[in-house]
Amino acid sequence: MKMKNVFKINKKYTVNISRDEKEIYEDDYIVKSIGECGLFQISVCSIVTMTRFIGIWNCLSVLFLIPAQSFRCIHFKENGTIHPENFTCYSDCIEYEYSQEIFEETVISKFNLICDRAWLANFTQTALMFGVLAGVSTFCWMSDRFGRGKAIFLAGLTNIAFMIAIIFSTNYFMFLCFRFGIGVGSGGFLGLSSIIIAETVGASYREMGVSLGLVPDGFAQASLAAFAYYSSTWKMYLFGFTVVSILIVVLLFFVPESPRWLVANGKSDAAIEVLTKAAKINKRSPTEIENIVAQRISEIKIKESDAQYHTYFDLFRTKELAVITVSSIISLFVSGISFFGINEYISRLGSSLNIYLIVMIMGLGVTPTVPMSMVIAKRCNRRSSSAISLLITAIAMGLLIFVPADTWYSILLGVIAVAASCVTFSIQFTFVTELYPTSMRSMGFGLNTGGTKLGAMMAPFVASSKPFWVAPLIFCILPIIAIVFTLILPETKGKKLKDTLKE
């Protein structure tokens, strides 16, 4: 009787659920125990979602850390009648003067990242994204091996430690090392948040949960403009969102272990304890939870002592798994280079446009993509919706080739391209979490989103390509390639999450 009530509530928020899908949803042991979506799921998902603020702040802070900053020589080796020009390097220049349009001191002016050292400015983002890649792989492996809760909390501590340390950097090498450390912690957040959400809510709420989990991305980017506007130096800028990040990490104390992970690893007692507390929070009877968990564990035939721990090589164990892994890595690589690259490219378009306003518009412009992606994911299958959003990105960037830089038309096309990339992210994150079983879901998600980070590592160099039309041309071609690999993946919409590789 209670299952009918759960489905009745669910029906209010979903559209066109078939009888087969209803049977799949109701057969899930988590749904039987605590319902599809209640106060417990909302609380856990809200806290986990907030960690994405920290990840996005760190990944996009580069927009103000290394802006397009003008400079000119003010002291030559020999006094002469040379009239130095902006953005011009001189072999006999001893000292350069930097503009202070954004900060009194930026990372570029602090470490003199101009002329023959200009590539080091872009490399700061590459180092951070390399750290994110390492963090996603490491913390996703840890979450499969030791639990989701332990992994995401350790990622939080790693983040805060390096975010505080970087403020005290005295040279470029220290700054670079701390950026890498920040990337490692941020990778943990960006890799685990979608996994925990997908495993916490019921199947019919999965698209909604994962999509809403990306809500902070746009707001985080927009808020960077506020942090930068009220900061006088790059250190104050970083300190501002570090303080807020500490408050978010404290909330991770209240995130319990994923009951799906506990069941998949044969930890029946711990799973029953978590589900019993969750049922009480959701105002449901916990009397049948012990039997439900015991039945599920007997179905997958796993005892705690016999739990299997996979390695990344298992993601290529069969031909089917190898095709899935390679195809989704390529698709997410394109999403990463598009989202981060287009953001940087648009922010560098010209000096006549207000960078604070541009970053805020780019951030707020992608926020509506969350409800949009929820509707698309619910009404369309994963492959076609991903392909369409990739195509929109390609068309917008193709048109940008023929639009003059330093105009609001170019900003509009940039917003459309980034928004389409966000829709792709939302759908693909849901897609990838459904492609792998619980026993290796985090590793699969981590390795695949590693493609995103590889794309983000290359993004600054693509965004700074000359002449100006080269970057949008690359951002136009890559999504078309990604469409081919996306269509290779098997459809997962409406299917129950698997717990073991045998399933």
Side-chain angles (χ1 to χ4, degrees):
M1 189 71 181
K2 288 187 177 181
M3 287 310 304
K4 290 182 179 179
N5 291 336
V6 170
F7 187 74
K8 187 174 182 181
I9 295 173
N10 171 53
K11 203 171 179 184
K12 181 179 178 181
Y13 293 98
T14 56
V15 292
N16 300 328
I17 296 178
S18 66
R19 178 173 297 180
D20 291 337
E21 286 178 314
K22 177 180 178 180
E23 291 176 357
I24 290 173
Y25 297 158
E26 292 183 344
D27 188 50
D28 189 282
Y29 62 96
I30 297 295
V31 174
K32 290 179 179 179
S33 301
I34 62 174
E36 288 203 280
C37 185
L39 182 59
F40 171 78
Q41 287 95 331
I42 293 173
S43 300
V44 171
C45 293
S46 296
I47 295 173
V48 171
T49 295
M50 291 177 69
T51 64
R52 289 192 65 87
F53 273 101
I54 304 175
I56 297 299
W57 280 336
N58 288 325
C59 289
L60 293 181
S61 61
V62 66
L63 298 176
F64 293 101
L65 283 177
I66 53 170
Q69 187 174 14
S70 63
F71 61 90
R72 67 185 183 90
C73 184
I74 59 172
H75 188 190
F76 290 91
K77 288 182 180 179
E78 297 181 2
N79 293 327
T81 58
I82 298 177
H83 296 286
E85 298 180 359
N86 286 334
F87 293 105
T88 304
C89 299
Y90 298 92
S91 59
D92 58 343
C93 183
I94 298 176
E95 183 181 1
Y96 287 95
E97 179 184 56
Y98 298 88
S99 64
Q100 298 182 353
E101 296 173 353
I102 298 178
F103 300 136
E104 295 175 4
E105 180 185 74
T106 65
V107 172
I108 292 177
S109 61
K110 170 68 175 179
F111 303 120
N112 293 315
L113 305 182
I114 57 173
C115 302
D116 59 339
R117 289 169 56 85
W119 68 275
L120 294 175
N122 288 332
F123 193 70
T124 60
Q125 184 69 354
T126 301
L128 180 129
M129 287 302 172
F130 187 69
V132 171
L133 175 61
V136 168
S137 303
T138 301
F139 285 109
C140 284
W141 172 83
M142 287 180 62
S143 74
D144 278 342
R145 182 67 177 83
F146 303 107
R148 316 299 196 217
K150 294 183 180 68
I152 197 168
F153 184 69
L154 183 58
L157 294 180
T158 303
N159 252 308
I160 298 304
F162 284 104
M163 289 172 73
I164 293 174
I166 198 171
I167 298 173
F168 300 96
S169 300
T170 57
N171 57 65
Y172 177 77
F173 182 74
M174 285 179 62
F175 180 84
L176 200 66
C177 290
F178 292 144
R179 284 280 283 178
F180 173 81
I182 290 172
V184 172
S186 297
F189 282 155
L190 299 176
L192 294 174
S193 58
S194 295
I195 294 293
I196 294 175
I197 292 172
E199 292 184 351
T200 302
V201 299
S204 63
Y205 283 85
R206 198 179 301 145
E207 296 97 339
M208 181 186 297
V210 175
S211 296
L212 289 176
L214 301 180
V215 166
D217 293 15
F219 288 112
Q221 180 175 348
S223 64
L224 283 175
F227 284 119
Y229 186 80
Y230 290 104
S231 300
S232 57
T233 67
W234 65 273
K235 292 185 177 182
M236 289 298 298
Y237 167 61
L238 295 181
F239 178 76
F241 59 79
T242 297
V243 172
V244 182
S245 299
I246 293 174
L247 300 177
I248 295 175
V249 170
V250 170
L251 294 176
L252 292 176
F253 274 114
F254 303 99
V255 176
E257 187 50 75
S258 166
R260 269 188 206 280
W261 180 87
L262 293 170
V263 170
N265 287 274
K267 301 179 184 293
S268 58
D269 292 340
I272 292 170
E273 182 181 354
V274 173
L275 289 172
T276 299
K277 292 179 180 179
K280 292 179 180 178
I281 293 173
N282 286 352
K283 300 185 184 303
R284 294 176 61 90
S285 173
T287 54
E288 294 298 320
I289 289 178
E290 188 171 345
N291 293 332
I292 293 171
V293 172
Q295 180 182 353
R296 180 53 184 164
I297 289 181
S298 66
E299 287 174 355
I300 61 180
K301 298 177 180 179
I302 288 183
K303 297 179 181 179
E304 183 172 354
S305 57
D306 299 329
Q308 294 182 345
Y309 300 109
H310 298 286
T311 66
Y312 282 102
F313 293 107
D314 291 319
L315 298 174
F316 302 90
R317 178 185 292 182
T318 65
K319 181 180 179 181
E320 181 183 2
L321 276 174
V323 170
I324 288 173
T325 302
V326 172
S327 298
S328 54
I329 285 176
I330 293 174
S331 297
L332 285 166
F333 168 82
V334 173
S335 296
I337 198 170
S338 299
F339 177 78
F340 292 100
I342 296 171
N343 262 300
E344 289 196 46
Y345 175 76
I346 298 300
S347 69
R348 300 179 181 188
L349 278 182
S351 58
S352 66
L353 303 178
N354 188 311
I355 186 172
Y356 300 104
L357 189 58
I358 291 175
V359 172
M360 184 169 291
I361 290 174
M362 295 289 285
L364 296 179
V366 303
T367 304
T369 63
V370 173
M372 186 187 306
S373 61
M374 285 167 49
V375 173
I376 292 173
K378 181 59 67 176
R379 292 184 176 273
C380 307
N381 64 47
R382 309 290 188 245
R383 292 185 300 180
S384 61
S385 53
S386 295
I388 291 172
S389 58
L390 285 166
L391 182 60
I392 293 173
T393 300
I395 293 173
M397 296 312 294
L399 292 174
L400 190 57
I401 297 173
F402 306 101
V403 175
D406 206 4
T407 66
W408 286 108
Y409 298 107
S410 60
I411 302 299
L412 176 61
L413 288 172
V415 170
I416 293 173
V418 172
S421 296
C422 285
V423 172
T424 306
F425 265 134
S426 179
I427 297 170
Q428 288 179 333
F429 280 4
T430 304
F431 201 176
V432 172
T433 59
E434 296 172 336
L435 288 171
Y436 298 96
T438 301
S439 58
M440 59 195 309
R441 183 171 298 119
S442 282
M443 283 194 298
F445 187 86
L447 185 62
N448 282 292
T449 54
T452 303
K453 314 317 169 191
L454 285 174
M457 288 168 62
M458 298 178 60
F461 298 99
V462 176
S464 59
S465 300
K466 302 295 181 182
F468 81 94
W469 54 265
V470 172
L473 178 62
I474 295 174
F475 293 138
C476 173
I477 294 174
L478 289 178
I480 297 175
I481 297 173
I483 290 174
V484 177
F485 287 94
T486 298
L487 296 177
I488 294 174
L489 295 169
E491 186 54 54
T492 61
K493 184 180 185 298
K495 297 183 179 180
K496 185 172 64 175
L497 290 178
K498 299 177 181 179
D499 282 320
T500 64
L501 191 58
K502 292 181 180 179
E503 292 182 294

